[in-house]
Every structure is written in structure tokens, then in C-alpha cells.
Amino acid sequence: MRKIYLALVSILYLTANATGQDAKSVPLSLQQCMDYALQHNYTIKNAQLDVQIQKAQVNEQISAAYPHMNLKADLTNFNVPQRSFIDAGYLGGPPGVIEAFPFSLNYSSDVSVTTSQVLFDGGVFVAVKARNTVVELARLNGAVTEETVRYNVYKAYNSLVIAYRQYDIIKESLNYARSLEHDVVVTKENGLAEKIDVERASVQVNNLTSDSISIGNLLSTSEQLLKYQMGMDINTPIILTDTVLEQRKQNTVELLNEQESYDRIPEYNVANTALKLNEFNLRRYQLQGIPSLSAFWGYGSNYGEDKFNEVFNFNNYWANSTLGLTLTMPIFNGLLRKNQVTEAKLNIEKAKNNIAFLKETIDFQAATSRTTVKNNLLQVQSQRRNMELAGDVLDLAQKKYKAGVGSNLEVTQAQTDLLRAQTNYFSALLDLINAQADLKKALGLLK
């Protein structure tokens, strides 16, 4: 018995300590938890970075549509100049004698600027048109991630609320069981109760103590899970404000009557955007079969000297310039483009099949979730009625026991039945709330 009471004192101390921390705790509603997660969850942060990364990658691809300019400068020292051979007779010397003459100065240098601009290229043209769609796909993938995080936070929040409700019920039952045990002990001391009555009351206290410890541990785990889903430090004290789950049950009828709309589903929008990108890809391969045209312009100068200290005087400076067009006409590439076009067309068909399958999946999930919500709603109503009946039975057993016409066994059994009914009710209520979350997700309403 002494160990039991020490355990009870520890539980009550922890409860009082937690209550004392409420003033420092952060009050959070369900919506606030989801909003916090959108700002701090690392998965969402990475999804937002993916959008920025995709923008940078798109800009890399379309950089070919902008002018390219390069500057080149070099200085060459012909310490052993290459020689050219010539018949000395051409220079007034003896005919038939071959002489080697260097035709370069010791030092030469040139500086040039070249610029090129694509005038038309099918691949670049498609890349420019598809850039917004590519970024939109990354954004929509981020929306899918956000919905998943909201869904996880929604379930974790409600699980924690239920755990708190169950913990409160266990505490109330434990307090009453201790009171009943004390009464039985006093009654036995007066010779009006037997030892078995005291032991039966002690067993009830022991069981409730064990349940209190288990649920207390569950509270800690559930709270840490919620903070983990939110991206919050698990040591941050919080207090939940949306604890009346019965109020959410009132919106069940409106939710069941909500019409489906594929456009609200992030995964559906992702599939449609992926189809558009596949169509752009097909267009890109098709345009690779036509000529591409680009323009170029260059300007530079070159000069040379025999002495190094004269190189930078620019005495022998000669400018040069080039201007032109480049037309590239693909003729045959081993049927590469043909196979690329075929692959792109097949990917389009596959994307269309994915969209059709996704529609069927959304319809199935919505229909299944509606049925589950209806069944769970009936279960909640049934378990609530059982809980009320169990409460009435306990109340009657307590009155009979106080009037001396009932036994503590009846009270103990009634209390056990009420505790079981309460557990079943909150379990059914949690199932209903989770089923509502599934239906909202299937309808694209989990915001």
C-alpha cells in the first residue's frame, strides 16, 4: 500500500507542476498549430526551397536565349620562333639554296570581344514558354507537402486532446476509488466489512494507478509527436485550447453534403501540370528537327614587337572585326529525335492514365471516407448513450451503498463499467474526428 500511495503522490505532484506551468505555456488552437507547422516544419521549408531551386534551374536553361559575351586576351613570347623554308633565289640569293626564315616577332598579343545571340532555337523557345509551368509544378508539390503536414498535425492534435480527456477521467476515478477504499477500511475497523472488501477496493486503486501512469506516459509521447509534426522544440510547454471535440461533430452533416471538386485536390493539380510539361517536352523534341539560327559578332586587335618593353606602347596596333550568322540544319542523328518524340508521346499517354486513375482514387477515397464518417457517427452516438447509462448505474450504486442497502462490490463494478464506457466513447470520438480528417483530405478541404 505504501508504494501505491507514493506513486499517487508522484502523479499528483507532476499534475500540479504541469498546472503551475500553464501560465508559461503557449496556448494553441488546432488552426494555430497547423499555421505554425507551415512556418516551421522542416519538410515544408525544404519544399519552399525546392521552388526557389527550380526557379534557378529554369533560369539556367533559358540563359541560352540571352546574349553571350566573352573577352579574351593573350600575350605570346616566341623565344624560339617557328621558321618557314624558302628558296633563296626568290630573295636574290643563289637559286636552289634553301633558307629558313622566322616570320614572327619575338612578342605578340591580341585582345578580342566576341558576342553571340540565338535568333531561333526550338529547344530554347520551348524552355522559355515552359518555365512558368515548371515552377508551378514545384509549387504544387509544395502544396501537397503542406496538406500532408496539416493532416498529420490535425490527427496528432486530436489524439493529444483525447489523451488529456482520458487522463482527467482516470484521475477522477482514482480519487473516487481512494475515497471508497478509505471508507471500506473504516467500515472494516468498525467490524461492518470484511478483509476481502478492503482488498477488492485496493485492487481497484492499484489498477487505476497503473492506468494513470500509462496514460501519463502516453500524454508525454503524444505531446512530443504534435510538436515534432509542427517543427516545434519538444521542450516548449504548450496548452491546447480546442478541447471540445463534440463541437466538431456538429459540422459532420455539412461535411457529408460537401460536393467533390478535383481542382481542390493538390495531387490532381500536380498531375495536370505534369501532363503540360510532358506536352512541352514533346514540342521540344519536335522543334529540334528544324534549323536553328544564331548571330555572332567579334571585335579585337593584335600587335607584335621584338622587344618586351615596347609591347604595351601599342605602336603596331591593328584592329579586326567579324560579323555573321550561323544556320544549323539537323540532317540525321541515328533516329535519336524520332525515338525521343515516341517516348514523349508515350509519357503523355501515361500522364493521362495517371490523371484518370487519380480521379477514380479520389472518388473512392471520398466515398469510403463518407461511409466511415457515417459509421463512426453512429458509434459515437451509441457509445455516448452507453456512457450515460453507465453513469446512471454508478450513481444508483453509490446511493445504495451510502444508504446501506448496497455493497462496495456493486460500486466498484459500476465504476469499472463507466470507465470502460468512457474509454469506448472517446475512442469512437477520436475515430470520428480522424475519419473527418480523411474526408476533408479527400475533398481538398483540409486547410
Side-chain angles (χ1 to χ4, degrees), residues 26 28 36 40-42 223-238:
V26 180
L28 292 171
Y36 184 96
H40 299 87
N41 183 278
Y42 288 103
E223 184 174 306
Q224 290 176 359
L225 175 61
L226 174 60
K227 294 174 184 176
Y228 169 76
Q229 299 291 355
M230 293 168 56
M232 176 182 284
D233 184 357
I234 61 174
N235 296 317
T236 303
I238 62 173

Side-chain angles (χ1 to χ4, degrees), residues 28-61:
L28 292 171
S29 65
L30 174 59
Q31 187 61 49
Q32 288 174 327
C33 285
M34 291 192 291
D35 292 341
Y36 184 96
L38 295 182
Q39 297 294 326
H40 299 87
N41 183 278
Y42 288 103
T43 305
I44 292 180
K45 286 183 177 181
N46 284 338
Q48 293 170 346
L49 290 175
D50 285 339
V51 175
Q52 301 303 318
I53 291 172
Q54 191 62 70
K55 288 181 179 179
Q57 291 176 345
V58 168
N59 290 333
E60 290 174 9
Q61 294 173 358

Side-chain angles (χ1 to χ4, degrees), residues 154-163 166 218 222 245-246 248 376 380 422-438:
Y154 190 98
K155 286 199 165 185
Y157 189 99
N158 292 323
S159 296
L160 182 57
V161 170
I162 291 295
Q166 290 179 325
L218 177 62
S222 298
L245 297 182
E246 288 81 2
R248 299 184 208 170
N376 288 335
V380 168
Q422 289 170 330
T423 300
N424 292 339
Y425 169 72
F426 286 115
S427 178
L429 186 59
L430 180 60
D431 289 341
L432 174 61
I433 299 301
N434 287 337
Q436 288 179 337
D438 293 337

Side-chain angles (χ1 to χ4, degrees), residues 33 42 54 59 69 80 92 96 126 159 174 183 245 258 282 301 304 357-358 368 415 433:
C33 285
Y42 288 103
Q54 191 62 70
N59 290 333
M69 180 177 292
V80 181
V126 173
S159 296
L174 181 57
D183 293 343
L245 297 182
E258 186 69 37
L282 173 61
S301 65
F357 177 72
L358 183 58
T368 303
Q415 186 183 25
I433 299 301

Side-chain angles (χ1 to χ4, degrees), residues 348-397:
I348 290 176
E349 291 301 315
K350 184 178 178 180
K352 291 179 179 179
N353 290 337
N354 289 337
I355 292 175
F357 177 72
L358 183 58
K359 285 183 177 180
E360 292 181 357
T361 302
I362 293 171
D363 293 339
F364 172 75
Q365 290 176 343
T368 303
S369 298
R370 280 193 171 93
T371 301
T372 304
V373 168
K374 291 176 182 178
N375 291 336
N376 288 335
L377 183 59
L378 294 175
Q379 283 293 322
V380 168
Q381 294 170 348
S382 175
Q383 294 300 334
R384 183 176 182 83
R385 179 57 180 162
N386 288 341
M387 185 177 65
E388 293 172 349
L389 292 174
D392 293 339
V393 171
L394 177 61
D395 183 61
L396 180 59

Side-chain angles (χ1 to χ4, degrees), residues 131-147:
R131 58 180 174 179
N132 292 333
T133 305
V134 173
V135 174
E136 179 67 8
L137 179 62
R139 188 192 67 79
L140 290 173
N141 281 323
V144 173
T145 301
E146 291 178 1
E147 184 188 55

Side-chain angles (χ1 to χ4, degrees), residues 11-192:
I11 293 173
L12 293 175
Y13 171 77
L14 291 174
T15 304
N17 188 46
T19 304
Q21 291 180 347
D22 284 347
K24 300 179 182 179
S25 300
V26 180
L28 292 171
S29 65
L30 174 59
Q31 187 61 49
Q32 288 174 327
C33 285
M34 291 192 291
D35 292 341
Y36 184 96
L38 295 182
Q39 297 294 326
H40 299 87
N41 183 278
Y42 288 103
T43 305
I44 292 180
K45 286 183 177 181
N46 284 338
Q48 293 170 346
L49 290 175
D50 285 339
V51 175
Q52 301 303 318
I53 291 172
Q54 191 62 70
K55 288 181 179 179
Q57 291 176 345
V58 168
N59 290 333
E60 290 174 9
Q61 294 173 358
I62 66 174
S63 63
Y66 297 101
H68 287 199
M69 180 177 292
N70 296 295
L71 172 66
K72 179 184 176 182
D74 63 64
L75 174 65
T76 304
N77 176 16
F78 295 98
N79 55 335
V80 181
Q82 183 177 359
R83 298 173 180 267
S84 297
F85 298 96
I86 191 171
D87 191 324
Y90 291 109
L91 300 177
V97 177
I98 304 300
E99 296 287 348
F101 295 94
F103 281 91
S104 63
L105 300 176
N106 291 337
Y107 297 95
S108 70
S109 178
D110 67 85
V111 178
S112 62
V113 177
T114 58
T115 302
S116 63
Q117 170 65 59
V118 173
L119 300 180
F120 178 81
D121 184 283
V124 175
F125 175 75
V126 173
V128 172
K129 292 191 65 176
R131 58 180 174 179
N132 292 333
T133 305
V134 173
V135 174
E136 179 67 8
L137 179 62
R139 188 192 67 79
L140 290 173
N141 281 323
V144 173
T145 301
E146 291 178 1
E147 184 188 55
T148 301
V149 170
R150 281 195 295 264
Y151 178 76
N152 293 334
V153 170
Y154 190 98
K155 286 199 165 185
Y157 189 99
N158 292 323
S159 296
L160 182 57
V161 170
I162 291 295
Y164 275 118
R165 297 283 289 272
Q166 290 179 325
Y167 187 60
D168 291 339
I169 290 172
I170 289 291
K171 287 196 298 181
E172 293 176 1
S173 299
L174 181 57
N175 291 334
Y176 181 78
R178 292 181 59 194
S179 175
L180 180 62
E181 181 188 34
H182 177 267
D183 293 343
V184 174
V185 170
V186 173
T187 304
K188 180 181 178 298
E189 291 174 352
N190 294 331
L192 300 177

